[in-house]
Coordinates of all heavy atoms in Angstrom, one line a residue:
M1 N 0.9 -1.1 -0.1 CA 0.0 0.0 0.1 C 0.8 1.3 0.0 O 1.9 1.3 0.6 CB -0.9 0.0 1.2 CG -1.8 1.2 1.3 SD -2.8 1.5 2.7 CE -2.7 0.1 3.7
K2 N 0.4 2.2 -0.8 CA 1.2 3.5 -0.8 C 0.2 4.6 -0.4 O -1.0 4.7 -0.8 CB 1.6 3.7 -2.3 CG 2.4 5.0 -2.5 CD 2.8 5.1 -3.9 CE 3.3 6.4 -4.2 NZ 3.7 6.6 -5.7
K3 N 0.7 5.5 0.4 CA -0.2 6.7 0.8 C 0.5 7.8 0.1 O 1.6 8.1 0.1 CB -0.2 6.9 2.4 CG -0.9 5.7 3.0 CD -1.0 6.1 4.5 CE -1.7 4.8 5.2 NZ -1.6 5.0 6.6
E4 N -0.5 8.8 -0.3 CA 0.0 10.1 -1.0 C -0.9 11.2 -0.6 O -2.2 10.9 -0.6 CB 0.0 9.7 -2.5 CG 0.7 10.9 -3.2 CD 0.7 10.6 -4.7 OE1 1.4 9.6 -5.1 OE2 0.3 11.3 -5.4
K5 N -0.4 12.2 -0.3 CA -1.3 13.4 0.1 C -2.0 13.9 -1.3 O -1.3 14.0 -2.3 CB -0.3 14.5 0.6 CG -1.1 15.7 1.2 CD -0.2 16.6 2.0 CE -0.7 17.9 2.5 NZ -2.1 18.0 3.1
M6 N -3.2 14.3 -1.1 CA -3.9 14.7 -2.3 C -3.4 16.2 -2.6 O -3.1 16.9 -1.7 CB -5.5 14.8 -2.0 CG -6.0 13.4 -2.0 SD -7.6 13.3 -1.1 CE -8.6 14.4 -2.1
K7 N -3.4 16.4 -3.9 CA -2.9 17.7 -4.4 C -4.0 18.8 -4.4 O -3.6 20.1 -4.4 CB -2.2 17.6 -5.7 CG -0.9 16.7 -5.5 CD -0.2 16.6 -6.8 CE 1.0 15.7 -6.7 NZ 1.0 14.5 -7.4
T8 N -5.2 18.4 -4.6 CA -6.2 19.4 -4.7 C -6.9 19.8 -3.3 O -6.8 18.9 -2.4 CB -7.4 19.0 -5.7 OG1 -7.8 17.7 -5.2 CG2 -7.0 18.8 -7.1
E9 N -7.3 21.0 -3.2 CA -8.0 21.4 -2.0 C -9.3 20.8 -1.8 O -9.8 20.7 -0.7 CB -8.2 23.0 -2.1 CG -6.9 23.8 -2.2 CD -5.9 23.7 -1.0 OE1 -6.4 23.4 0.0 OE2 -4.8 23.8 -1.2
M10 N -10.1 20.7 -2.9 CA -11.6 20.3 -3.0 C -11.7 19.2 -4.0 O -11.2 19.3 -5.1 CB -12.4 21.4 -3.2 CG -12.9 22.2 -2.0 SD -14.1 23.4 -2.5 CE -15.5 22.3 -2.6
E11 N -12.5 18.2 -3.6 CA -12.9 17.2 -4.5 C -14.4 17.0 -4.5 O -15.0 16.9 -3.4 CB -12.3 15.9 -4.2 CG -10.7 16.1 -4.3 CD -9.9 14.9 -4.8 OE1 -10.4 13.7 -4.6 OE2 -8.8 15.0 -5.3
V12 N -15.0 17.0 -5.7 CA -16.5 17.0 -5.8 C -16.9 15.8 -6.7 O -16.4 15.6 -7.7 CB -16.9 18.3 -6.5 CG1 -18.4 18.3 -6.7 CG2 -16.5 19.5 -5.8
F13 N -17.8 15.0 -6.1 CA -18.2 13.7 -6.7 C -19.7 13.9 -7.1 O -20.5 14.0 -6.2 CB -17.9 12.6 -5.7 CG -16.5 12.3 -5.5 CD1 -15.9 13.0 -4.3 CD2 -15.8 11.5 -6.2 CE1 -14.6 12.8 -4.1 CE2 -14.3 11.3 -5.9 CZ -13.8 12.0 -4.8
I14 N -19.9 13.8 -8.4 CA -21.3 13.9 -8.8 C -21.8 12.4 -9.3 O -21.2 11.9 -10.2 CB -21.4 14.9 -10.0 CG1 -20.8 16.2 -9.5 CG2 -22.9 14.9 -10.4 CD1 -20.8 17.1 -10.7
C15 N -22.8 12.0 -8.7 CA -23.4 10.6 -9.0 C -23.8 10.6 -10.5 O -24.7 11.6 -10.8 CB -24.4 10.2 -8.0 SG -25.3 8.6 -8.6
N16 N -23.4 9.7 -11.2 CA -23.9 9.6 -12.5 C -24.5 8.2 -12.7 O -24.6 7.6 -13.8 CB -22.7 9.7 -13.5 CG -22.4 11.2 -13.9 OD1 -22.5 11.6 -15.1 ND2 -22.4 12.0 -13.0
H17 N -24.9 7.5 -11.7 CA -25.3 6.2 -11.7 C -26.6 6.0 -12.6 O -27.5 6.9 -12.4 CB -25.6 5.6 -10.3 CG -25.9 4.2 -10.3 ND1 -25.1 3.2 -10.6 CD2 -27.1 3.6 -10.0 CE1 -25.6 2.1 -10.5 NE2 -26.8 2.3 -10.1
S18 N -26.8 5.0 -13.4 CA -28.0 4.8 -14.1 C -28.5 3.5 -13.9 O -27.8 2.5 -13.5 CB -27.8 5.1 -15.6 OG -27.0 4.1 -16.1
R19 N -29.8 3.2 -14.1 CA -30.4 2.0 -13.9 C -31.3 1.7 -15.1 O -31.6 2.7 -15.8 CB -31.4 1.9 -12.7 CG -30.7 2.0 -11.4 CD -31.6 1.7 -10.2 NE -30.8 1.6 -9.0 CZ -30.6 2.7 -8.3 NH1 -31.3 3.9 -8.6 NH2 -29.9 2.8 -7.2
D20 N -31.4 0.5 -15.4 CA -32.2 0.1 -16.6 C -33.7 0.5 -16.6 O -34.3 0.8 -17.6 CB -32.2 -1.4 -16.9 CG -30.7 -1.8 -17.3 OD1 -30.0 -1.0 -17.7 OD2 -30.5 -3.0 -17.1
S21 N -34.2 0.6 -15.4 CA -35.7 0.9 -15.3 C -35.9 2.1 -14.3 O -35.1 2.2 -13.3 CB -36.5 -0.2 -15.0 OG -36.0 -0.7 -13.7
G22 N -36.9 2.8 -14.4 CA -37.2 3.8 -13.5 C -36.4 5.1 -13.7 O -35.4 5.2 -14.4
D23 N -36.9 6.2 -13.0 CA -36.1 7.3 -13.0 C -35.5 7.8 -11.6 O -35.2 9.0 -11.4 CB -37.0 8.5 -13.6 CG -38.2 8.8 -12.8 OD1 -38.4 8.0 -11.9 OD2 -39.0 9.6 -13.2
D24 N -35.4 6.8 -10.8 CA -35.0 7.1 -9.4 C -33.4 6.9 -9.4 O -32.9 6.1 -8.6 CB -35.6 6.2 -8.5 CG -35.6 6.7 -7.0 OD1 -35.2 7.8 -6.9 OD2 -35.8 5.9 -6.0
N25 N -32.9 7.5 -10.3 CA -31.4 7.5 -10.4 C -30.8 8.8 -11.0 O -31.6 9.4 -11.7 CB -30.8 6.3 -11.1 CG -31.3 6.3 -12.6 OD1 -30.6 6.9 -13.5 ND2 -32.5 5.7 -12.9
C26 N -29.6 9.1 -10.7 CA -29.1 10.5 -11.0 C -28.9 10.6 -12.5 O -29.1 11.7 -13.0 CB -27.8 10.7 -10.3 SG -28.1 10.8 -8.4
A27 N -28.5 9.6 -13.2 CA -28.3 9.7 -14.6 C -29.7 10.2 -15.3 O -29.6 11.0 -16.2 CB -27.8 8.5 -15.3
A28 N -30.8 9.6 -14.9 CA -32.1 9.9 -15.5 C -32.5 11.3 -15.2 O -33.3 11.8 -15.9 CB -33.1 8.9 -15.0
K29 N -31.9 12.0 -14.2 CA -32.2 13.4 -13.9 C -31.4 14.3 -14.3 O -31.3 15.6 -14.1 CB -32.3 13.5 -12.3 CG -33.3 12.5 -11.7 CD -33.1 12.5 -10.1 CE -34.1 11.5 -9.6 NZ -33.8 11.2 -8.2
G30 N -30.4 13.9 -15.3 CA -29.6 15.0 -16.0 C -28.1 15.1 -15.5 O -27.5 16.1 -15.7
A31 N -27.7 14.1 -14.7 CA -26.4 14.2 -14.0 C -25.2 14.4 -14.9 O -24.2 15.0 -14.7 CB -26.1 13.1 -13.1
K32 N -25.3 13.7 -16.1 CA -24.2 13.7 -17.0 C -23.9 15.1 -17.6 O -22.7 15.5 -17.6 CB -24.5 12.7 -18.2 CG -23.2 12.5 -19.1 CD -23.5 11.7 -20.3 CE -22.2 11.5 -21.3 NZ -21.5 12.8 -21.5
E33 N -24.9 15.7 -18.1 CA -24.9 17.0 -18.7 C -24.2 18.0 -17.6 O -23.3 18.8 -17.9 CB -26.1 17.6 -19.0 CG -26.2 19.0 -19.5 CD -27.7 19.5 -19.5 OE1 -28.7 18.7 -19.3 OE2 -27.9 20.7 -19.5
L34 N -24.8 17.9 -16.3 CA -24.3 18.8 -15.3 C -22.8 18.5 -14.9 O -22.0 19.4 -14.7 CB -25.2 18.6 -14.1 CG -24.8 19.4 -12.8 CD1 -25.0 20.9 -13.0 CD2 -25.6 19.0 -11.6
T35 N -22.4 17.2 -14.9 CA -21.1 16.9 -14.6 C -20.2 17.4 -15.6 O -19.1 17.9 -15.3 CB -21.0 15.2 -14.4 OG1 -21.9 14.8 -13.6 CG2 -19.6 14.8 -14.0
D36 N -20.6 17.2 -16.9 CA -19.7 17.7 -18.0 C -19.4 19.2 -17.8 O -18.3 19.6 -18.0 CB -20.3 17.5 -19.3 CG -20.3 15.9 -19.7 OD1 -19.6 15.1 -19.0 OD2 -21.2 15.6 -20.7
K37 N -20.4 19.9 -17.5 CA -20.2 21.4 -17.3 C -19.4 21.8 -16.1 O -18.5 22.7 -16.4 CB -21.7 22.1 -17.2 CG -22.3 22.2 -18.6 CD -23.8 22.6 -18.4 CE -24.0 24.0 -18.0 NZ -25.3 24.4 -18.0
L38 N -19.6 21.1 -15.1 CA -18.8 21.4 -13.9 C -17.4 20.9 -14.0 O -16.5 21.6 -13.5 CB -19.5 20.8 -12.6 CG -20.7 21.5 -12.1 CD1 -21.5 20.7 -11.0 CD2 -20.4 23.0 -11.7
K39 N -17.2 19.8 -14.6 CA -15.8 19.4 -14.9 C -15.0 20.4 -15.7 O -13.8 20.7 -15.5 CB -15.8 18.0 -15.6 CG -16.1 16.8 -14.6 CD -16.1 15.5 -15.4 CE -14.9 14.9 -15.8 NZ -14.1 14.3 -14.6
K40 N -15.7 20.8 -16.7 CA -15.0 21.8 -17.7 C -14.6 23.1 -16.9 O -13.6 23.5 -17.0 CB -16.1 22.0 -18.9 CG -15.5 22.9 -19.9 CD -16.4 22.9 -21.0 CE -16.0 23.8 -22.3 NZ -15.8 25.2 -22.1
W41 N -15.7 23.5 -16.1 CA -15.5 24.7 -15.4 C -14.3 24.6 -14.4 O -13.5 25.5 -14.3 CB -16.8 25.2 -14.6 CG -16.7 26.2 -13.5 CD1 -16.4 27.4 -13.6 CD2 -16.6 25.8 -12.1 NE1 -16.4 28.0 -12.4 CE2 -16.4 27.1 -11.5 CE3 -16.7 24.6 -11.4 CZ2 -16.3 27.1 -10.0 CZ3 -16.7 24.7 -10.1 CH2 -16.5 26.0 -9.4
A42 N -14.3 23.5 -13.6 CA -13.3 23.4 -12.6 C -11.9 23.3 -13.2 O -10.9 23.8 -12.7 CB -13.6 22.1 -11.8
K43 N -11.8 22.7 -14.4 CA -10.6 22.5 -15.1 C -10.1 23.9 -15.6 O -8.8 24.1 -15.6 CB -10.8 21.5 -16.3 CG -9.4 21.0 -16.7 CD -9.7 19.9 -17.8 CE -8.3 19.3 -18.3 NZ -8.6 18.2 -19.3
E44 N -11.0 24.6 -16.1 CA -10.6 25.9 -16.6 C -10.3 27.0 -15.6 O -9.5 27.8 -15.8 CB -11.8 26.4 -17.6 CG -11.9 25.6 -18.9 CD -13.0 26.1 -19.7 OE1 -13.8 27.0 -19.3 OE2 -13.2 25.5 -20.8
E45 N -11.2 26.9 -14.5 CA -11.0 28.0 -13.5 C -10.3 27.8 -12.3 O -9.8 28.6 -11.6 CB -12.5 28.4 -13.1 CG -13.4 28.9 -14.3 CD -12.8 30.3 -14.9 OE1 -12.4 31.1 -14.2 OE2 -13.1 30.4 -16.2
H46 N -10.2 26.4 -12.0 CA -9.5 26.0 -10.5 C -8.7 24.8 -10.8 O -8.7 24.0 -9.8 CB -10.7 25.7 -9.6 CG -11.5 26.8 -9.3 ND1 -11.1 28.0 -8.6 CD2 -12.8 27.3 -9.7 CE1 -12.0 28.9 -8.5 NE2 -13.1 28.5 -9.2
K47 N -8.0 24.7 -11.8 CA -7.0 23.6 -12.1 C -6.0 23.6 -10.9 O -5.4 24.6 -10.5 CB -6.3 23.8 -13.4 CG -5.5 22.7 -13.7 CD -5.0 22.8 -15.2 CE -4.1 21.6 -15.5 NZ -4.6 20.9 -16.6
G48 N -5.9 22.4 -10.4 CA -4.9 22.2 -9.3 C -5.5 22.5 -7.9 O -4.9 22.2 -6.8
E49 N -6.8 23.1 -7.9 CA -7.3 23.5 -6.6 C -8.6 22.6 -6.3 O -8.9 22.2 -5.2 CB -7.9 24.9 -6.6 CG -6.8 25.9 -6.8 CD -7.3 27.3 -6.9 OE1 -8.4 27.5 -7.4 OE2 -6.6 28.2 -6.4
M50 N -9.4 22.4 -7.4 CA -10.7 21.7 -7.2 C -10.7 20.7 -8.4 O -10.5 21.0 -9.6 CB -11.8 22.7 -7.3 CG -13.2 22.0 -7.1 SD -14.6 23.1 -7.5 CE -14.3 24.5 -6.6
K51 N -11.2 19.5 -8.1 CA -11.4 18.5 -9.1 C -12.8 18.0 -9.1 O -13.2 17.7 -8.0 CB -10.4 17.4 -9.0 CG -10.2 16.5 -10.2 CD -8.8 16.1 -10.4 CE -8.7 15.4 -11.7 NZ -7.6 14.7 -12.0
V52 N -13.5 17.8 -10.2 CA -14.9 17.3 -10.3 C -14.8 15.9 -10.8 O -14.2 15.6 -11.9 CB -15.8 18.2 -11.0 CG1 -17.1 17.5 -11.2 CG2 -15.8 19.5 -10.3
F53 N -15.4 14.9 -10.2 CA -15.4 13.5 -10.6 C -16.8 13.1 -10.9 O -17.8 13.4 -10.2 CB -14.8 12.6 -9.6 CG -13.4 12.8 -9.2 CD1 -13.0 13.7 -8.3 CD2 -12.4 12.3 -10.0 CE1 -11.8 14.0 -7.9 CE2 -11.0 12.6 -9.7 CZ -10.8 13.4 -8.6
R54 N -17.0 12.2 -11.9 CA -18.2 11.3 -12.2 C -18.2 10.3 -11.2 O -17.2 9.5 -11.2 CB -18.1 11.0 -13.5 CG -19.4 10.5 -14.2 CD -19.1 10.2 -15.6 NE -18.5 11.2 -16.4 CZ -19.0 12.3 -17.0 NH1 -20.2 12.5 -16.8 NH2 -18.2 13.2 -17.6
S55 N -19.1 10.0 -10.4 CA -19.0 8.9 -9.4 C -20.2 8.0 -9.7 O -21.1 8.2 -10.3 CB -19.1 9.4 -7.9 OG -20.4 9.6 -7.5
G56 N -20.1 6.8 -8.9 CA -21.2 5.8 -8.9 C -22.2 6.3 -7.8 O -22.1 7.4 -7.4
C57 N -23.1 5.4 -7.5 CA -24.1 5.8 -6.6 C -23.7 6.2 -5.2 O -22.8 5.5 -4.7 CB -25.1 4.5 -6.5 SG -26.5 4.8 -5.3
L58 N -24.2 7.3 -4.8 CA -23.7 7.8 -3.4 C -24.7 7.4 -2.4 O -24.7 8.1 -1.3 CB -23.6 9.3 -3.5 CG -22.6 9.8 -4.5 CD1 -22.7 11.3 -4.7 CD2 -21.1 9.5 -4.0
G59 N -25.7 6.6 -2.7 CA -26.6 6.1 -1.6 C -27.8 7.1 -1.4 O -28.5 7.0 -0.2
K60 N -28.0 8.1 -2.2 CA -29.0 9.1 -2.0 C -29.9 9.1 -3.2 O -30.4 10.2 -3.6 CB -28.3 10.5 -1.8 CG -27.5 10.5 -0.6 CD -28.3 10.7 0.7 CE -27.4 10.9 1.9 NZ -28.3 10.9 3.0
C61 N -30.2 7.9 -3.8 CA -31.0 7.8 -5.0 C -32.2 8.7 -5.2 O -32.5 9.4 -6.1 CB -31.2 6.5 -5.5 SG -29.8 5.4 -5.1
S62 N -33.1 8.6 -4.1 CA -34.4 9.2 -4.2 C -34.2 10.7 -4.1 O -35.2 11.6 -4.3 CB -35.3 8.7 -3.1 OG -34.9 9.0 -1.9
E63 N -33.0 11.2 -3.6 CA -32.8 12.6 -3.4 C -31.8 13.2 -4.6 O -31.2 14.3 -4.4 CB -32.2 12.9 -2.0 CG -33.1 12.5 -0.9 CD -32.5 12.5 0.5 OE1 -31.7 11.6 0.8 OE2 -32.7 13.6 1.1
G64 N -31.6 12.4 -5.5 CA -30.6 12.8 -6.6 C -31.2 14.0 -7.4 O -32.5 14.1 -7.4
I65 N -30.4 14.5 -8.2 CA -29.0 14.4 -8.3 C -28.3 14.6 -7.1 O -28.5 15.6 -6.5 CB -28.4 15.3 -9.4 CG1 -29.2 15.0 -10.8 CG2 -26.9 15.1 -9.6 CD1 -28.8 16.0 -11.9
A66 N -27.4 13.7 -6.7 CA -26.6 13.9 -5.5 C -25.1 14.2 -5.6 O -24.5 13.7 -6.7 CB -26.6 12.5 -4.7
I67 N -24.6 15.1 -5.0 CA -23.2 15.6 -5.1 C -22.6 15.5 -3.7 O -23.2 16.0 -2.7 CB -23.1 16.9 -5.7 CG1 -23.9 17.1 -7.0 CG2 -21.7 17.5 -5.8 CD1 -23.9 18.5 -7.6
A68 N -21.4 15.0 -3.7 CA -20.6 14.9 -2.3 C -19.4 15.8 -2.5 O -18.6 15.7 -3.4 CB -20.2 13.5 -2.1
C69 N -19.3 16.6 -1.4 CA -18.0 17.6 -1.5 C -17.1 17.3 -0.3 O -17.6 17.1 0.8 CB -18.5 19.0 -1.4 SG -19.8 19.5 -2.5
Y70 N -15.9 17.2 -0.6 CA -14.8 17.0 0.3 C -13.7 18.2 0.3 O -13.5 18.6 -0.9 CB -14.2 15.6 0.1 CG -15.0 14.6 0.4 CD1 -15.8 14.1 -0.7 CD2 -15.1 14.0 1.6 CE1 -16.6 12.9 -0.5 CE2 -16.0 13.0 1.8 CZ -16.7 12.4 0.8 OH -17.6 11.3 1.0
P71 N -13.2 18.6 1.3 CA -13.2 18.1 2.6 C -14.5 18.6 3.5 O -14.4 18.2 4.7 CB -12.0 18.7 3.1 CG -11.9 20.1 2.6 CD -12.3 19.9 1.2
Q72 N -15.5 19.2 2.9 CA -16.6 19.7 3.8 C -17.4 18.5 4.3 O -18.2 18.6 5.3 CB -17.5 20.6 2.9 CG -16.8 21.9 2.6 CD -15.8 21.8 1.4 OE1 -15.8 20.8 0.6 NE2 -15.0 22.8 1.1
K73 N -17.3 17.4 3.6 CA -18.2 16.3 4.0 C -19.6 16.6 3.9 O -20.4 16.3 4.9 CB -17.8 15.7 5.3 CG -16.4 15.0 5.5 CD -16.2 14.3 6.7 CE -15.0 14.7 7.6 NZ -15.0 14.2 8.9
K74 N -20.0 17.2 2.8 CA -21.5 17.7 2.7 C -22.1 17.0 1.4 O -21.3 17.0 0.3 CB -21.5 19.2 2.7 CG -21.3 19.8 4.1 CD -21.9 21.1 4.2 CE -21.9 21.6 5.7 NZ -21.7 22.9 5.9
F75 N -23.3 16.8 1.4 CA -24.0 16.5 0.2 C -24.7 17.6 -0.3 O -25.3 18.3 0.5 CB -25.1 15.4 0.5 CG -24.5 14.0 0.7 CD1 -24.5 13.4 1.9 CD2 -24.0 13.3 -0.4 CE1 -24.1 12.0 1.9 CE2 -23.6 12.1 -0.3 CZ -23.5 11.3 0.9
L76 N -24.8 17.8 -1.6 CA -25.9 18.6 -2.1 C -26.9 17.7 -2.8 O -26.5 16.7 -3.6 CB -25.2 19.5 -3.4 CG -24.2 20.4 -2.9 CD1 -23.5 21.0 -4.1 CD2 -24.6 21.5 -2.0
L77 N -28.2 17.8 -2.3 CA -29.2 16.9 -2.9 C -30.3 17.5 -3.6 O -30.5 18.8 -3.5 CB -29.8 16.1 -1.6 CG -28.7 15.3 -0.8 CD1 -29.3 14.9 0.5 CD2 -28.1 14.2 -1.5
E78 N -31.1 16.7 -4.2 CA -32.3 17.2 -5.1 C -31.7 18.3 -6.0 O -32.3 19.4 -6.3 CB -33.3 17.8 -4.2 CG -33.9 16.7 -3.3 CD -35.0 17.1 -2.4 OE1 -35.3 18.3 -2.4 OE2 -35.5 16.2 -1.6
V79 N -30.5 18.1 -6.5 CA -29.9 19.1 -7.5 C -30.6 18.9 -8.8 O -30.9 17.6 -9.2 CB -28.4 18.8 -7.6 CG1 -27.8 19.5 -8.7 CG2 -27.8 19.2 -6.3
V80 N -30.8 19.8 -9.6 CA -31.3 19.8 -11.0 C -30.2 20.5 -11.9 O -29.5 21.4 -11.3 CB -32.7 20.3 -11.2 CG1 -33.8 19.6 -10.5 CG2 -32.8 21.8 -10.8
P81 N -30.2 20.1 -13.2 CA -29.1 20.7 -14.0 C -29.2 22.2 -14.0 O -28.2 22.9 -14.1 CB -29.4 20.1 -15.4 CG -30.0 18.7 -15.1 CD -30.8 19.0 -13.9
E82 N -30.4 22.7 -13.8 CA -30.5 24.2 -13.8 C -29.9 24.9 -12.6 O -29.7 26.1 -12.6 CB -32.0 24.6 -13.8 CG -32.7 24.3 -15.1 CD -33.1 22.7 -15.3 OE1 -33.1 22.0 -14.3 OE2 -33.1 22.3 -16.4
D83 N -29.4 24.2 -11.6 CA -28.7 24.7 -10.4 C -27.3 24.9 -10.8 O -26.5 25.4 -9.8 CB -28.8 23.7 -9.3 CG -30.2 23.5 -8.7 OD1 -31.1 24.5 -8.9 OD2 -30.5 22.5 -8.1
Y84 N -26.9 24.7 -11.9 CA -25.4 24.8 -12.3 C -24.8 26.1 -11.7 O -23.7 26.0 -11.0 CB -25.3 24.8 -13.8 CG -23.9 25.2 -14.4 CD1 -22.9 24.3 -14.1 CD2 -23.7 26.3 -15.0 CE1 -21.6 24.6 -14.5 CE2 -22.5 26.7 -15.4 CZ -21.3 25.8 -15.3 OH -20.1 26.2 -15.7
K85 N -25.4 27.3 -12.0 CA -24.8 28.5 -11.6 C -24.7 28.6 -10.1 O -23.6 29.0 -9.5 CB -25.5 29.7 -12.2 CG -24.8 31.0 -12.0 CD -25.6 32.2 -12.8 CE -24.9 33.5 -12.5 NZ -25.7 34.4 -11.7
E86 N -25.7 28.2 -9.4 CA -25.7 28.3 -7.9 C -24.6 27.3 -7.3 O -24.0 27.6 -6.4 CB -27.2 27.9 -7.4 CG -27.3 28.2 -5.9 CD -28.8 27.8 -5.5 OE1 -29.6 27.7 -6.4 OE2 -29.0 27.6 -4.4
I87 N -24.6 26.2 -8.0 CA -23.5 25.1 -7.5 C -22.2 25.7 -7.6 O -21.3 25.6 -6.8 CB -23.7 23.8 -8.2 CG1 -25.0 23.1 -8.0 CG2 -22.5 22.9 -7.9 CD1 -25.4 22.1 -8.9
R88 N -22.0 26.2 -8.8 CA -20.6 26.8 -9.2 C -20.3 27.9 -8.1 O -19.1 27.9 -7.5 CB -20.7 27.5 -10.5 CG -19.5 27.2 -11.4 CD -19.8 27.8 -12.7 NE -20.0 29.3 -12.6 CZ -20.2 30.1 -13.5 NH1 -20.2 29.5 -14.7 NH2 -20.4 31.3 -13.5
E89 N -21.2 28.8 -7.8 CA -21.0 29.9 -6.8 C -20.7 29.2 -5.4 O -19.8 29.7 -4.6 CB -22.2 30.8 -6.8 CG -22.3 31.7 -8.0 CD -23.6 32.5 -8.1 OE1 -24.5 32.3 -7.2 OE2 -23.8 33.1 -9.1
G90 N -21.5 28.2 -5.1 CA -21.2 27.6 -3.7 C -19.9 26.9 -3.6 O -19.2 27.0 -2.6
L91 N -19.5 26.3 -4.7 CA -18.2 25.6 -4.7 C -17.0 26.7 -4.6 O -16.1 26.5 -3.9 CB -18.0 24.7 -5.9 CG -19.0 23.6 -6.0 CD1 -18.7 22.7 -7.3 CD2 -18.7 22.6 -4.8
E92 N -17.3 27.8 -5.3 CA -16.2 28.8 -5.2 C -16.2 29.4 -3.9 O -15.0 29.7 -3.4 CB -16.5 29.9 -6.3 CG -16.1 29.5 -7.7 CD -16.3 30.5 -8.7 OE1 -17.2 31.4 -8.6 OE2 -15.4 30.5 -9.6
E93 N -17.2 29.5 -3.2 CA -17.2 30.1 -1.8 C -16.6 29.0 -1.0 O -15.7 29.5 0.0 CB -18.7 30.3 -1.4 CG -18.8 31.2 -0.3 CD -20.2 31.8 0.0 OE1 -20.9 32.2 -1.0 OE2 -20.7 31.4 1.0
A94 N -16.8 27.9 -1.0 CA -16.2 26.8 -0.2 C -14.8 26.7 -0.4 O -14.0 26.6 0.6 CB -17.0 25.4 -0.5
L95 N -14.3 26.8 -1.6 CA -12.9 26.9 -1.9 C -12.2 28.1 -1.2 O -11.2 28.0 -0.7 CB -12.7 26.8 -3.4 CG -11.2 26.8 -3.9 CD1 -10.5 25.5 -3.4 CD2 -11.1 26.8 -5.4
K96 N -12.8 29.2 -1.4 CA -12.3 30.4 -0.8 C -12.1 30.3 0.8 O -11.1 30.7 1.3 CB -13.2 31.6 -1.1 CG -12.7 33.0 -0.8 CD -13.6 34.1 -1.2 CE -13.3 35.4 -0.7 NZ -13.4 35.6 0.6
D97 N -13.2 29.6 1.4 CA -13.1 29.3 2.9 C -11.8 28.5 3.2 O -11.3 28.7 4.2 CB -14.4 28.8 3.4 CG -15.6 29.7 3.4 OD1 -15.4 30.9 3.3 OD2 -16.7 29.1 3.5
I98 N -11.7 27.6 2.4 CA -10.5 26.7 2.6 C -9.1 27.5 2.5 O -8.3 27.4 3.4 CB -10.4 25.5 1.6 CG1 -11.6 24.6 1.9 CG2 -9.1 24.8 1.7 CD1 -11.7 23.5 0.8
K99 N -9.2 28.3 1.5 CA -7.9 29.1 1.3 C -7.7 30.1 2.2 O -6.4 30.6 2.5 CB -7.8 29.7 -0.1 CG -7.8 28.5 -1.1 CD -8.2 29.0 -2.5 CE -7.1 29.4 -3.3 NZ -7.6 29.9 -4.6
D100 N -8.7 30.8 2.9 CA -8.6 31.8 3.7 C -8.1 31.4 5.2 O -8.1 30.4 5.6 CB -10.0 32.6 4.0 CG -10.3 33.4 2.8 OD1 -9.5 33.7 1.9 OD2 -11.4 33.8 2.7
Ligands
FES201 S1 -28.3 6.8 -8.2 FE1 -27.4 8.8 -7.6 S2 -27.2 8.5 -5.4 FE2 -27.9 6.6 -6.1

């Protein structure tokens, strides 16, 4: 086993899990589109500080789209793709709090 300190200040995991049936999963609620946008934004605006990952199920399916933020250890739940701007602003504020 090897241990290594993470290089980024913040890591954001967005559930993109899908199921064959039903819409009680984050993929069916538009997680892919939202993840693509947030990944692009984080890479362009916060490279080396914040990283956005596409994740598997976070165990909050009925409350999805679910997003987990570290090191805050907080979930953003019942997210819809239209929340993009608000999420971006919240993540920037959280990053600023870490750096201050
Ligand atoms: S499908 Fe997204 S939290 Fe389970």
Side-chain angles (χ1 to χ4, degrees):
M1 180 183 357
K2 180 181 170 186
K3 292 182 182 176
E4 187 174 305
K5 190 168 171 42
M6 291 163 54
K7 294 183 177 112
T8 49
E9 304 289 337
M10 270 185 77
E11 302 213 330
V12 178
F13 297 85
I14 306 174
C15 173
N16 274 231
H17 186 71
S18 69
R19 291 196 180 85
D20 291 340
S21 61
D23 59 358
D24 202 13
N25 63 84
C26 295
K29 297 172 186 171
K32 185 184 181 316
E33 170 199 350
L34 178 64
T35 307
D36 290 345
K37 284 170 75 176
L38 286 170
K39 281 175 80 75
K40 184 174 186 292
W41 162 76
K43 194 171 184 179
E44 288 173 0
E45 302 292 327
H46 297 288
K47 192 175 175 118
E49 299 176 325
M50 183 192 307
K51 198 147 185 190
V52 175
F53 296 94
R54 198 176 309 279
S55 88
C57 181
L58 296 171
K60 298 284 187 184
C61 316
S62 64
E63 299 171 278
I65 300 171
I67 300 177
C69 304
Y70 294 90
Q72 293 80 9
K73 296 196 236 172
K74 287 201 172 148
F75 281 114
L76 300 175
L77 300 171
E78 300 179 359
V79 171
V80 293
E82 293 74 25
D83 292 335
Y84 169 71
K85 190 169 179 250
E86 191 179 339
I87 293 166
R88 228 180 51 183
E89 289 168 0
L91 293 176
E92 281 185 326
E93 200 170 303
L95 182 61
K96 188 174 174 291
D97 287 346
I98 291 172
K99 293 160 97 180
D100 285 346

